[in-house]
Amino acid sequence: MLFHDPYSCNSLWPARFGSVANRLTFVNSPTIEPDDDVRRPRSVYGVGSEPDARFSLANERTALAWVRTGLALVAGGVALTTIATLADTSALLDVVAVFACLVGGSLAGIALFSWRRVERALREDRPLPGPVALPWLILGVFVMAVILAGYALFESFARL
Amino acid sequence: MNRDPGLQPERTALAWQRTGLSAGVISLLTALAAIHLGVLPLAVIGSAAAMSTIVIALTHFPRGSLHPSGRVYAGKPLARIVLLVALTAALGAALTLTSLFTRTITS
Protein backbone atom coordinates (compact mmCIF):
# COMPACT_ATOMS: atom_id res chain seq x y z
CA MET A 1 0.00 0.00 0.00
CA LEU A 2 2.62 2.53 -1.04
CA PHE A 3 0.80 5.71 -1.88
CA HIS A 4 2.50 8.32 -4.01
CA ASP A 5 3.62 11.01 -1.67
CA PRO A 6 5.32 13.74 -3.70
CA TYR A 7 6.95 15.16 -0.59
CA SER A 8 8.67 12.01 0.56
CA CYS A 9 12.40 11.84 0.03
CA ASN A 10 14.20 8.85 -1.35
CA SER A 11 15.97 7.91 1.85
CA LEU A 12 13.93 6.00 4.35
CA TRP A 13 14.51 8.27 7.30
CA PRO A 14 14.57 10.88 8.58
CA ALA A 15 11.28 11.96 7.10
CA ARG A 16 10.96 15.38 5.56
CA PHE A 17 9.74 17.07 8.67
CA GLY A 18 9.48 20.50 7.09
CA SER A 19 7.10 19.40 4.40
CA VAL A 20 5.11 17.33 6.91
CA ALA A 21 4.60 20.37 9.13
CA ASN A 22 3.62 22.53 6.18
CA ARG A 23 1.08 20.09 4.97
CA LEU A 24 -0.58 19.79 8.33
CA THR A 25 -0.87 23.54 8.82
CA PHE A 26 -4.32 24.38 7.66
CA VAL A 27 -3.55 27.95 6.78
CA ASN A 28 -4.62 27.33 3.21
CA SER A 29 -7.66 25.15 3.75
CA PRO A 30 -7.62 21.89 1.82
CA THR A 31 -10.00 21.89 -1.07
CA ILE A 32 -10.92 18.27 -0.53
CA GLU A 33 -14.60 17.93 0.21
CA PRO A 34 -15.74 15.60 3.01
CA ASP A 35 -17.12 13.22 0.39
CA ASP A 36 -13.59 12.66 -0.90
CA ASP A 37 -12.44 11.46 2.49
CA VAL A 38 -11.37 7.90 1.85
CA ARG A 39 -9.63 7.26 5.13
CA ARG A 40 -10.63 4.03 6.75
CA PRO A 41 -12.07 2.89 9.11
CA ARG A 42 -15.20 4.81 8.32
CA SER A 43 -16.57 4.04 11.78
CA VAL A 44 -13.91 6.43 13.09
CA TYR A 45 -13.34 8.93 10.29
CA GLY A 46 -16.93 9.03 9.12
CA VAL A 47 -18.32 10.58 12.30
CA GLY A 48 -18.12 14.12 13.53
CA SER A 49 -15.75 16.74 12.20
CA GLU A 50 -12.01 16.99 11.80
CA PRO A 51 -10.42 17.65 15.21
CA ASP A 52 -7.32 19.70 15.92
CA ALA A 53 -4.37 17.92 14.32
CA ARG A 54 -2.38 18.16 17.56
CA PHE A 55 -4.92 16.11 19.49
CA SER A 56 -5.13 13.48 16.78
CA LEU A 57 -1.38 13.18 16.70
CA ALA A 58 -1.19 12.98 20.47
CA ASN A 59 -3.79 10.21 20.45
CA GLU A 60 -1.77 8.36 17.85
CA ARG A 61 1.44 8.67 19.88
CA THR A 62 -0.34 7.33 22.94
CA ALA A 63 -1.53 4.30 21.01
CA LEU A 64 2.01 3.72 19.73
CA ALA A 65 3.35 3.96 23.28
CA TRP A 66 0.93 1.25 24.39
CA VAL A 67 2.04 -0.92 21.45
CA ARG A 68 5.66 -0.50 22.50
CA THR A 69 4.78 -1.46 26.07
CA GLY A 70 3.13 -4.64 24.79
CA LEU A 71 6.20 -5.34 22.69
CA ALA A 72 8.42 -4.98 25.75
CA LEU A 73 6.32 -7.56 27.59
CA VAL A 74 6.54 -9.98 24.67
CA ALA A 75 10.30 -9.50 24.56
CA GLY A 76 10.46 -10.21 28.29
CA GLY A 77 8.47 -13.40 27.84
CA VAL A 78 10.61 -14.67 24.99
CA ALA A 79 13.83 -13.88 26.86
CA LEU A 80 12.49 -15.59 29.98
CA THR A 81 11.64 -18.78 28.14
CA THR A 82 15.00 -18.81 26.40
CA ILE A 83 16.83 -18.47 29.71
CA ALA A 84 14.58 -21.07 31.34
CA THR A 85 15.33 -23.59 28.61
CA LEU A 86 19.05 -22.87 28.52
CA ALA A 87 19.48 -23.01 32.29
CA ASP A 88 17.04 -25.92 32.55
CA THR A 89 15.08 -24.35 35.39
CA SER A 90 11.54 -25.08 36.47
CA ALA A 91 8.46 -24.92 34.30
CA LEU A 92 7.07 -22.05 36.37
CA LEU A 93 9.19 -19.62 34.39
CA ASP A 94 7.65 -20.89 31.18
CA VAL A 95 4.17 -20.29 32.61
CA VAL A 96 5.12 -16.72 33.51
CA ALA A 97 6.56 -16.28 30.02
CA VAL A 98 3.31 -17.40 28.38
CA PHE A 99 1.41 -14.99 30.58
CA ALA A 100 3.76 -12.17 29.61
CA CYS A 101 3.38 -12.86 25.88
CA LEU A 102 -0.40 -12.98 26.11
CA VAL A 103 -0.60 -9.77 28.13
CA GLY A 104 1.71 -8.09 25.63
CA GLY A 105 -0.42 -9.14 22.68
CA SER A 106 -3.62 -8.04 24.34
CA LEU A 107 -2.07 -4.66 25.19
CA ALA A 108 -1.53 -4.06 21.49
CA GLY A 109 -5.19 -4.87 20.80
CA ILE A 110 -6.29 -2.62 23.67
CA ALA A 111 -4.16 0.15 22.16
CA LEU A 112 -6.13 -0.03 18.92
CA PHE A 113 -9.44 -0.17 20.75
CA SER A 114 -8.57 2.87 22.91
CA TRP A 115 -7.34 4.80 19.91
CA ARG A 116 -10.66 4.33 18.15
CA ARG A 117 -12.66 5.39 21.19
CA VAL A 118 -10.58 8.51 21.80
CA GLU A 119 -10.52 9.48 18.13
CA ARG A 120 -14.31 9.25 17.93
CA ALA A 121 -14.64 11.30 21.11
CA LEU A 122 -12.31 13.93 19.64
CA ARG A 123 -14.26 14.09 16.42
CA GLU A 124 -17.61 14.39 18.22
CA ASP A 125 -16.24 16.90 20.71
CA ARG A 126 -17.14 14.76 23.70
CA PRO A 127 -15.14 14.29 26.90
CA LEU A 128 -12.41 11.72 26.47
CA PRO A 129 -13.05 8.24 27.87
CA GLY A 130 -10.96 7.09 30.81
CA PRO A 131 -8.00 4.73 30.45
CA VAL A 132 -8.94 1.08 30.14
CA ALA A 133 -5.65 -0.75 30.11
CA LEU A 134 -3.60 0.88 32.81
CA PRO A 135 -4.98 -0.92 35.91
CA TRP A 136 -4.76 -4.28 34.13
CA LEU A 137 -1.20 -3.64 33.05
CA ILE A 138 -0.15 -2.74 36.57
CA LEU A 139 -1.93 -5.77 38.00
CA GLY A 140 -0.38 -8.13 35.46
CA VAL A 141 3.14 -6.83 35.98
CA PHE A 142 2.70 -6.98 39.75
CA VAL A 143 1.50 -10.57 39.65
CA MET A 144 4.40 -11.62 37.46
CA ALA A 145 6.91 -9.83 39.66
CA VAL A 146 5.53 -11.47 42.79
CA ILE A 147 5.68 -14.92 41.21
CA LEU A 148 9.21 -14.43 39.97
CA ALA A 149 10.40 -13.01 43.28
CA GLY A 150 8.84 -15.92 45.16
CA TYR A 151 10.51 -18.38 42.82
CA ALA A 152 13.89 -16.69 43.24
CA LEU A 153 13.59 -16.77 47.03
CA PHE A 154 12.55 -20.39 46.96
CA GLU A 155 15.46 -21.35 44.76
CA SER A 156 17.97 -19.47 46.88
CA PHE A 157 16.72 -21.15 50.06
CA ALA A 158 16.74 -24.55 48.40
CA ARG A 159 20.40 -24.17 47.63
CA LEU A 160 21.43 -23.17 51.14
CA MET B 1 -9.79 26.47 13.71
CA ASN B 2 -6.79 24.25 13.24
CA ARG B 3 -3.68 26.01 14.41
CA ASP B 4 -0.07 25.26 13.67
CA PRO B 5 0.64 21.75 14.96
CA GLY B 6 4.18 22.84 15.80
CA LEU B 7 6.63 20.00 16.19
CA GLN B 8 3.97 17.35 16.69
CA PRO B 9 4.19 15.79 13.22
CA GLU B 10 7.88 15.22 13.79
CA ARG B 11 7.25 13.69 17.21
CA THR B 12 4.65 11.40 15.71
CA ALA B 13 6.93 10.33 12.88
CA LEU B 14 9.66 9.59 15.41
CA ALA B 15 7.18 7.58 17.49
CA TRP B 16 6.36 5.55 14.39
CA GLN B 17 10.03 4.92 13.75
CA ARG B 18 10.59 3.81 17.35
CA THR B 19 7.62 1.48 17.22
CA GLY B 20 8.57 0.01 13.85
CA LEU B 21 12.13 -0.55 14.96
CA SER B 22 11.05 -2.20 18.23
CA ALA B 23 8.58 -4.43 16.40
CA GLY B 24 11.23 -5.52 13.89
CA VAL B 25 13.86 -6.24 16.51
CA ILE B 26 11.53 -8.16 18.81
CA SER B 27 10.07 -10.29 16.02
CA LEU B 28 13.65 -11.08 15.02
CA LEU B 29 14.42 -12.01 18.62
CA THR B 30 11.43 -14.35 18.71
CA ALA B 31 12.49 -16.00 15.46
CA LEU B 32 16.03 -16.45 16.76
CA ALA B 33 14.71 -17.98 19.98
CA ALA B 34 12.59 -20.38 17.93
CA ILE B 35 15.62 -21.37 15.86
CA HIS B 36 17.75 -21.77 18.97
CA LEU B 37 15.20 -23.90 20.78
CA GLY B 38 14.93 -26.10 17.73
CA VAL B 39 11.19 -25.87 17.15
CA LEU B 40 11.21 -26.16 13.36
CA PRO B 41 7.72 -25.08 12.21
CA LEU B 42 7.68 -22.10 14.57
CA ALA B 43 11.18 -21.18 13.44
CA VAL B 44 10.11 -21.09 9.80
CA ILE B 45 6.96 -19.11 10.49
CA GLY B 46 8.81 -16.83 12.88
CA SER B 47 11.57 -16.09 10.40
CA ALA B 48 9.09 -15.26 7.66
CA ALA B 49 7.12 -13.04 10.05
CA ALA B 50 10.31 -11.30 11.22
CA MET B 51 11.44 -10.60 7.64
CA SER B 52 8.09 -9.16 6.65
CA THR B 53 7.87 -7.12 9.85
CA ILE B 54 11.28 -5.60 9.22
CA VAL B 55 10.45 -4.82 5.60
CA ILE B 56 7.15 -3.21 6.57
CA ALA B 57 8.79 -1.29 9.39
CA LEU B 58 11.49 0.11 7.13
CA THR B 59 9.25 1.03 4.21
CA HIS B 60 6.01 2.19 5.79
CA PHE B 61 6.57 3.44 9.25
CA PRO B 62 9.20 6.18 8.93
CA ARG B 63 6.75 8.16 6.86
CA GLY B 64 4.42 8.29 9.80
CA SER B 65 0.74 8.51 9.11
CA LEU B 66 0.69 11.14 6.40
CA HIS B 67 -2.12 10.74 3.90
CA PRO B 68 -1.89 12.19 0.40
CA SER B 69 -4.80 14.49 1.18
CA GLY B 70 -2.70 16.15 3.86
CA ARG B 71 -4.84 14.94 6.71
CA VAL B 72 -3.83 12.92 9.70
CA TYR B 73 -4.56 9.28 9.00
CA ALA B 74 -3.62 6.66 11.53
CA GLY B 75 -6.31 3.99 11.23
CA LYS B 76 -4.78 1.59 8.76
CA PRO B 77 -1.10 1.86 9.75
CA LEU B 78 -2.08 1.42 13.39
CA ALA B 79 -4.12 -1.68 12.59
CA ARG B 80 -1.14 -3.00 10.62
CA ILE B 81 1.34 -2.59 13.47
CA VAL B 82 -1.10 -4.00 16.04
CA LEU B 83 -1.57 -7.07 13.83
CA LEU B 84 2.20 -7.54 13.57
CA VAL B 85 2.65 -7.22 17.32
CA ALA B 86 -0.21 -9.63 18.03
CA LEU B 87 1.36 -12.12 15.61
CA THR B 88 4.71 -11.81 17.38
CA ALA B 89 3.01 -12.31 20.75
CA ALA B 90 1.21 -15.40 19.46
CA LEU B 91 4.49 -16.80 18.15
CA GLY B 92 6.18 -16.13 21.48
CA ALA B 93 3.36 -17.82 23.39
CA ALA B 94 3.42 -20.84 21.04
CA LEU B 95 7.19 -21.11 21.41
CA THR B 96 6.95 -20.99 25.20
CA LEU B 97 4.18 -23.58 25.30
CA THR B 98 6.14 -25.89 23.02
CA SER B 99 9.27 -25.67 25.13
CA LEU B 100 7.15 -26.13 28.28
CA PHE B 101 5.58 -29.33 26.99
CA THR B 102 8.78 -30.80 25.61
CA ARG B 103 10.54 -30.18 28.88
CA THR B 104 7.80 -31.59 31.10
CA ILE B 105 7.47 -34.61 28.84
CA THR B 106 11.17 -35.42 28.70
CA SER B 107 11.89 -34.66 32.35
Side-chain angles (χ1 to χ4, degrees), chain A:
Chain A
M1 286 302 297
L2 293 176
F3 48 79
H4 301 291
D5 183 4
Y7 292 98
S8 68
C9 54
N10 291 326
S11 63
L12 287 173
W13 67 58
R16 291 275 287 272
F17 295 135
S19 62
V20 168
N22 286 335
R23 291 188 62 178
L24 286 178
T25 305
F26 292 100
V27 174
N28 307 312
S29 302
T31 54
I32 299 175
E33 302 297 329
D35 294 336
D36 291 358
D37 194 3
V38 295
R39 296 175 296 171
R40 299 179 65 88
R42 297 313 300 161
S43 54
V44 171
Y45 289 113
V47 303
S49 63
E50 192 74 10
D52 197 337
R54 298 172 298 164
F55 301 148
S56 267
L57 291 174
N59 184 23
E60 194 176 324
R61 283 200 304 277
T62 308
L64 288 177
W66 275 114
V67 167
R68 282 200 302 278
T69 308
L71 269 176
L73 274 176
V74 170
V78 168
L80 194 58
T81 190
T82 308
I83 291 175
T85 307
L86 288 179
D88 204 15
T89 48
S90 100
L92 177 67
L93 294 183
D94 275 332
V95 172
V96 174
V98 172
F99 186 60
C101 287
L102 292 177
V103 169
S106 51
L107 266 185
I110 290 175
L112 190 61
F113 169 73
S114 287
W115 176 84
R116 288 169 56 102
R117 279 208 314 173
V118 172
E119 192 72 19
R120 269 207 289 261
L122 282 175
R123 293 186 74 91
E124 292 169 354
D125 210 11
R126 279 187 284 113
L128 296 183
V132 161
L134 195 55
W136 293 107
L137 169 69
I138 294 175
L139 184 69
V141 170
F142 180 71
V143 164
M144 281 190 279
V146 163
I147 292 176
L148 286 176
Y151 173 72
L153 276 176
F154 169 74
E155 279 290 311
S156 62
F157 281 132
R159 288 172 207 279
L160 276 179

